[in-house]
Amino acid sequence: MISWLNSIICLVVLLAINLNAVASEENYQNIWAVKIDGDVYKAKDVARRNNFELIQKARFLVLDGFDNIYILRRKDLPENHRMKRQTIEHDQILKNDSSIIWSEQQRSAIRVKRTILPPPPPPASNKTKRSSSFNDKLRNLWDTTQQFMFSFGMNQNKVLHQFNDELWPSQWHIHSSGFSRFDHGITRVWDMGFTGKGIVVSILDDGLEWNHSDLQANYDHNASYDMNDDDPDPTPRYDMFNSNSHGTRCAGVVSMIPQNKKCGVGAAYHARIGGIRCLDGDVSDIVEANSLAFRNEYIDIYSASWGPSDDGMTVDGPKILAQMALERGITHGRKGRGNIYVWASGNGGSRGDNCNCDGYVSSIYTISINSVSESGRFPWYAEKCSSTLAAAFSSGAFSDKKIATTDIHNTCTREHSGTSAAAPLAAAILALVLEANPNLTWRDIQHLIVCTSEFSPLLDERGWRKNGAGFLFNSRFGFGLLMAESLVRMATRWDPVPEKYICVIQPKQLFQQQVSTNGDIIRVYFLLQQNQPDCPIEFLEHVQIKITLETSKRGNTRMFMFSPQDTLSVLMYPRIKDNSMDGFHNWNLTSVHYWGEKPIGLWRLYIQNSQKDKSVLQLNNVQLILHGVRQPGGCFKHHPFRRYLNEDLISQVTQAPFAEFDENSPQQFDNFFDNYE
Ligand SMILES: *[C@@H]1O[C@H](CO)[C@@H](O)[C@H](O)[C@H]1NC(C)=O
Ligand SMILES: *[C@@H]1O[C@H](CO)[C@@H](O)[C@H](O)[C@H]1NC(C)=O
Ligand SMILES: *[C@@H]1O[C@H](CO)[C@@H](O)[C@H](O)[C@H]1NC(C)=O
Ligand SMILES: *[C@@H]1O[C@H](CO)[C@@H](O)[C@H](O)[C@H]1NC(C)=O
Ligand SMILES: *[C@@H]1O[C@H](CO)[C@@H](O)[C@H](O)[C@H]1NC(C)=O
Ligand SMILES: *[C@@H]1O[C@H](CO)[C@@H](O)[C@H](O)[C@H]1NC(C)=O
Ligand SMILES: [Ca+2]
Ligand SMILES: [Ca+2]
Ligand SMILES: [Ca+2]
Ligand SMILES: [Ca+2]
């Protein structure tokens, strides 16, 4: 550590403490989760000798699935006592006890629903318009091709669906006209006979009005719980602001009852729907873990439309228990095939947020879904990042329609919005896919999405690139619009993806330069040799950079990486609002952009301050983590791996690769970033 860096950081830390003093709250609860080397008797012993008491597991039912995890409480304080983090000595008592493997004081985290939106920004500038009119030509070309296909009977299985439900005419996200390129193809999957029968979806949220007359027949008591009040009934708490309508709105998107003259039609209208009430109270790690692991052998798909604050200055994700719950879900859920966790990618776009700062979104276990507007645009509230897997319809600008669904008090709404609506729509589409093939694993589902999502409906937006395996990707939309019909068709004749390998690669040499001040670039190389015995991966899935980085202003940091095949993925965009000095600590930056590539060769990671003058950054630790398979499965068995609906458009919409990128020219970095989408 360099001493002047230290002193700068100390100085600014002092300032920051002053500024934060007002904001700090008593968020810590008189509850500790501990892992004890022993059974419940041992746990009681350990508690007693430290003047703690064991809270009986029955109250925290789901932690049953976690070996040797217990909940303790200090005896000398009232049960509901709240504290600031001035209890370090008590933490220390537990940490001192040799029978305790780890302990974590529970804290009420800030968890925000992904539907409450700030006002939209001013009208689009000329720059946006330009790209739009450029793409008008491509759009016409697309529509012409569709009509051509139609006239040859290639697109004729469209049945005119008429339901008597009052919102049905407003459900544009389901029944877009057959010619439109803005279509998930959901009605065509219904025509194939798949409506979600036998699939259980549960909404993790602020409750579920399960006796709503457009939900009750699909409601599944067994897939529901109230984690906030610890009872089996997730009915929301009613207040004068209707602030707990979110879960009920999300549930309707999946499973409204068709043909009952009430509200609308769910996209998987025969799926059973459950609600886990977890956001209306202290959202501690225990509450999240209990929710994410709840009946995971029974529930197939969990849909979550919430997460850390979208203020553009937060870096937060699952804590130790929630992380364990996700891992348990993907290993034990669905008879070992793994639960499907669908996650809303966040609404912080207008605040410059980046969804790779949200650890739920960037987790490899979640399917993170962004929104696309009715007109195929990237909404003003949406966030870019390299871990987004695909996109589904939701609200956009003022003139775009929102999503029609159920609301509390047995009413209906046309106003559901944000990535909160996109995630349950994706969950519903995946319910159709699981009905078509219940054998699919959590990884099969991710592969299917990569193998079928389409870029061409979204070609009004820039930023499309092609990776070394032939997949088109975009930081806004992942691999593109979810295509329900293609997903289901491919799912029914799917070669399961084989066993997965994980390789952890250390940097090639000690970093040449670990500290950057004047906007200098920190370069890190990772070399994967041919036939490296400990890394048999031939086809990549997720790629992660696990990093510990100190910064004087975290939001100035940009990070991007080239694969051996010269595919560029931006792992972190600068976030102007993020003035934090906390840096990143063992933070996983996940990218799906290298999917299908061969990992052999040199990986180049670049870390830079976007503001040249002031900020300092220091790299303390970094690893490259590769996930992938040795043998081909899924669409990796095809050559090429995939074909797009509109191969003709690929060369017109994809931007040039950066094989010629000169890492020694800071000037070029700037030009590059000014033009990079
Ligand atoms: C933890 O153990 C150390 C060494 O055994 C001791 O010095 C310290 O006082 C203990 N701390 C607490 C809070 O018990
Ligand atoms: C857009 O372009 C027109 C004509 O090219 C110009 O008059 C106008 O000021 C521009 N508007 C903005 C917001 O840049
Ligand atoms: C649902 O239950 C609540 C209270 O439990 C009741 O007030 C409401 O009328 C019920 N709604 C319907 C549609 O039955
Ligand atoms: C819920 O579980 C009970 C008993 O565990 C069972 O009898 C019932 O059929 C289940 N309900 C559904 C909808 O599966
Ligand atoms: C699922 O697996 C079972 C047993 O292995 C098999 O009989 C069935 O055909 C599979 N279903 C599909 C759709 O692949
Ligand atoms: C980071 O990724 C690695 C490898 O996938 C995983 O073992 C670890 O649990 C992740 N950490 C977090 C906090 O998600
Ligand atoms: Ca309740
Ligand atoms: Ca209905
Ligand atoms: Ca966010
Ligand atoms: Ca994810």
Side-chain angles (χ1 to χ4, degrees):
M1 166 79 79
I2 288 170
S3 65
W4 55 261
L5 174 65
N6 242 338
S7 36
I8 294 177
I9 290 183
C10 284
L11 180 66
V12 194
V13 163
L14 285 175
L15 290 171
I17 286 171
N18 277 335
L19 291 174
N20 286 337
V22 188
S24 79
E25 282 170 33
E26 300 191 326
N27 286 332
Y28 287 87
Q29 301 171 274
N30 182 13
I31 301 175
W32 274 257
V34 295
K35 182 166 174 128
I36 288 176
D37 183 16
D39 60 11
V40 65
Y41 301 102
K42 180 80 169 280
K44 276 187 180 155
D45 244 27
V46 169
R48 193 174 340 101
R49 70 178 176 232
N50 291 304
N51 201 27
F52 279 70
E53 72 184 315
L54 182 71
I55 304 180
Q56 286 306 309
K57 275 184 159 187
R59 264 199 69 204
F60 294 92
L61 70 172
V62 195
L63 288 169
D64 283 349
F66 295 61
D67 286 341
N68 298 335
I69 306 252
Y70 302 93
I71 313 298
L72 305 185
R73 177 171 80 206
R74 278 171 58 176
K75 270 190 187 158
D76 59 332
L77 291 174
E79 182 171 345
N80 294 324
H81 186 80
R82 318 279 294 192
M83 51 199 114
K84 295 182 191 166
R85 192 132 169 102
Q86 283 159 353
T87 49
I88 293 158
E89 75 274 23
H90 292 274
D91 239 17
Q92 200 56 52
I93 288 172
L94 294 178
K95 293 200 160 80
N96 260 10
D97 193 308
S98 61
S99 301
I100 295 184
I101 297 166
W102 53 257
S103 68
E104 180 197 54
Q105 188 176 6
Q106 295 299 297
R107 179 187 182 182
S108 178
I110 296 168
R111 293 292 177 253
V112 177
K113 303 169 200 173
R114 300 300 189 216
T115 193
I116 302 156
L117 304 174
S125 70
N126 284 356
K127 193 179 168 197
T128 338
K129 285 219 181 85
R130 177 155 37 90
S131 81
S132 169
S133 63
F134 162 74
N135 281 318
D136 279 348
K137 275 188 231 145
L138 300 178
R139 181 189 323 180
N140 290 339
L141 185 56
W142 203 96
D143 286 344
T144 314
T145 328
Q146 290 298 292
Q147 293 193 26
F148 176 82
M149 283 170 66
F150 189 82
S151 64
F152 280 84
M154 292 158 82
N155 198 8
Q156 275 179 346
N157 52 355
K158 182 179 182 315
V159 178
L160 203 63
H161 289 85
Q162 271 317 337
F163 291 104
N164 64 16
D165 305 82
E166 58 182 303
L167 293 184
W168 174 246
S170 305
Q171 291 189 275
W172 60 271
H173 62 283
I174 295 183
H175 55 62
S176 2
S177 81
F179 292 113
S180 170
R181 66 203 169 103
F182 304 128
D183 189 356
H184 284 305
I186 290 167
T187 55
R188 290 193 292 279
V189 174
W190 293 348
D191 294 343
M192 292 161 73
F194 301 114
T195 48
K197 283 181 298 296
I199 306 302
V200 180
V201 181
S202 196
I203 307 288
L204 309 179
D205 215 292
D206 57 12
L208 173 59
E209 189 180 275
W210 57 269
N211 69 349
H212 192 294
S213 56
D214 210 20
L215 291 172
Q216 186 161 10
N218 281 335
Y219 178 68
D220 189 338
H221 175 81
N222 295 352
S224 303
Y225 201 79
D226 182 344
M227 295 294 166
N228 293 127
D229 291 348
D230 197 21
D231 67 58
D233 179 354
T235 298
R237 180 177 55 87
Y238 295 95
D239 62 20
M240 59 194 296
F241 309 108
N242 290 335
S243 52
N244 294 313
S245 60
H246 192 247
T248 304
R249 290 174 169 213
C250 290
V253 174
V254 179
S255 209
M256 283 182 286
I257 316 290
Q259 203 65 9
N260 63 348
K261 297 187 177 166
K262 177 78 182 177
C263 297
V265 180
Y269 56 76
H270 285 139
R272 278 178 289 156
I273 190 84
I276 297 175
R277 179 169 177 256
C278 57
L279 296 184
D280 192 17
D282 286 324
V283 191
S284 65
D285 194 21
I286 292 176
V287 167
E288 286 186 9
N290 276 335
S291 305
L292 291 165
F294 182 72
R295 300 234 169 108
N296 61 16
E297 77 298 341
Y298 183 81
I299 295 167
D300 297 300
I301 301 175
Y302 298 80
S303 181
S305 293
W306 48 269
S309 174
D310 279 331
D311 56 12
M313 44 180 146
T314 299
V315 174
D316 191 8
K319 306 268 185 304
I320 186 163
L321 293 171
Q323 179 72 17
M324 286 170 63
L326 288 170
E327 280 164 12
R328 198 180 158 76
I330 58 99
T331 51
H332 289 64
R334 295 181 55 240
K335 301 194 171 68
R337 298 183 181 102
N339 294 120
I340 313 302
Y341 293 100
V342 182
W343 221 278
S345 71
N347 294 354
S350 64
R351 301 184 196 93
D353 204 6
N354 182 281
C355 36
N356 267 3
C357 291
D358 175 336
Y360 299 87
V361 169
S362 70
S363 165
I364 65 168
Y365 306 129
T366 62
I367 292 172
S368 31
I369 298 292
N370 213 339
S371 298
V372 194
S373 76
E374 179 191 21
S375 50
R377 302 309 298 252
F378 181 66
W380 56 274
Y381 58 79
E383 301 179 24
K384 291 204 276 191
C385 70
S386 56
S387 55
T388 297
L389 201 59
F393 288 124
S394 185
S395 60
F398 265 143
S399 51
D400 290 315
K401 290 194 206 69
K402 296 178 184 170
I403 302 294
T405 183
T406 42
D407 206 347
I408 55 172
H409 301 298
N410 203 26
T411 62
C412 317
T413 178
R414 290 182 175 81
E415 298 292 313
H416 197 35
S417 62
T419 51
S420 277
L425 181 54
I429 291 172
L430 296 179
L432 304 174
V433 176
L434 282 188
E435 182 189 358
N437 184 353
N439 296 346
L440 299 169
T441 67
W442 68 280
R443 283 170 56 235
D444 286 325
I445 292 282
Q446 296 202 17
H447 277 261
L448 274 163
I449 291 171
V450 177
C451 297
T452 56
S453 298
E454 285 287 341
F455 74 95
S456 52
L458 311 178
L459 44 73
D460 275 346
E461 294 290 351
R462 294 156 52 93
W464 289 103
R465 290 173 193 279
K466 189 175 180 176
N467 79 8
F471 295 110
L472 271 73
F473 66 91
N474 188 321
S475 293
R476 295 173 179 77
F477 303 121
F479 294 92
L481 187 68
L482 281 177
M483 303 299 278
E485 185 184 10
S486 316
L487 275 166
V488 165
R489 285 191 192 284
M490 195 175 282
T492 54
R493 43 181 170 75
W494 180 253
D495 292 310
V497 292
E499 185 192 356
K500 148 183 182 143
Y501 292 85
I502 300 175
C503 313
V504 179
I505 320 275
Q506 304 300 337
K508 189 179 159 210
Q509 60 222 43
L510 211 66
F511 327 122
Q512 292 169 328
Q513 181 195 18
Q514 281 178 250
V515 179
S516 159
T517 47
N518 305 309
D520 298 339
I521 298 145
I522 298 180
R523 305 173 181 82
V524 187
Y525 306 125
F526 302 90
L527 183 63
L528 187 64
Q529 309 274 10
Q530 187 81 38
N531 302 325
Q532 198 159 312
D534 52 345
C535 186
I537 293 176
E538 291 287 324
F539 307 90
L540 286 168
E541 296 174 348
H542 308 86
V543 172
Q544 295 177 298
I545 285 288
K546 185 171 183 182
I547 199 162
T548 297
L549 190 65
E550 285 179 47
T551 62
S552 54
K553 179 180 187 307
R554 186 171 57 200
N556 282 349
T557 315
R558 64 170 54 129
M559 299 187 243
F560 51 104
M561 183 161 69
F562 290 92
S563 67
Q565 303 190 26
D566 283 325
T567 301
L568 170 61
S569 183
V570 180
L571 304 177
M572 184 53 60
Y573 290 90
R575 296 192 303 165
I576 47 168
K577 284 178 176 286
D578 181 4
N579 292 313
S580 166
M581 301 182 36
D582 293 344
F584 294 94
H585 292 278
N586 286 321
W587 190 254
N588 284 339
L589 296 157
T590 301
S591 178
V592 296
H593 297 165
Y594 306 106
W595 207 278
E597 289 191 359
K598 213 178 162 68
I600 308 296
L602 189 68
W603 292 78
R604 293 167 290 154
L605 169 68
Y606 300 101
I607 307 168
Q608 191 199 20
N609 278 318
S610 59
Q611 297 299 313
K612 287 166 200 53
D613 41 355
K614 295 179 216 77
S615 44
V616 181
L617 56 86
Q618 169 166 327
L619 178 61
N620 291 341
N621 200 2
V622 63
Q623 291 171 330
L624 173 67
I625 303 173
L626 307 175
H627 303 255
V629 291
R630 178 186 213 155
Q631 302 292 337
C635 69
F636 294 169
K637 284 200 165 172
H638 307 168
H639 289 281
F641 291 165
R642 75 162 296 176
R643 288 182 195 287
Y644 288 92
L645 277 177
N646 244 294
E647 294 274 325
D648 293 353
L649 293 179
I650 294 177
S651 60
Q652 296 180 58
V653 299
T654 52
Q655 289 168 335
F658 285 86
E660 303 303 312
F661 186 79
D662 177 6
E663 64 171 31
N664 294 312
S665 161
Q667 185 64 35
Q668 191 185 352
F669 267 66
D670 298 339
N671 291 340
F672 169 73
F673 259 98
D674 290 346
N675 296 308
Y676 188 78
E677 285 292 317

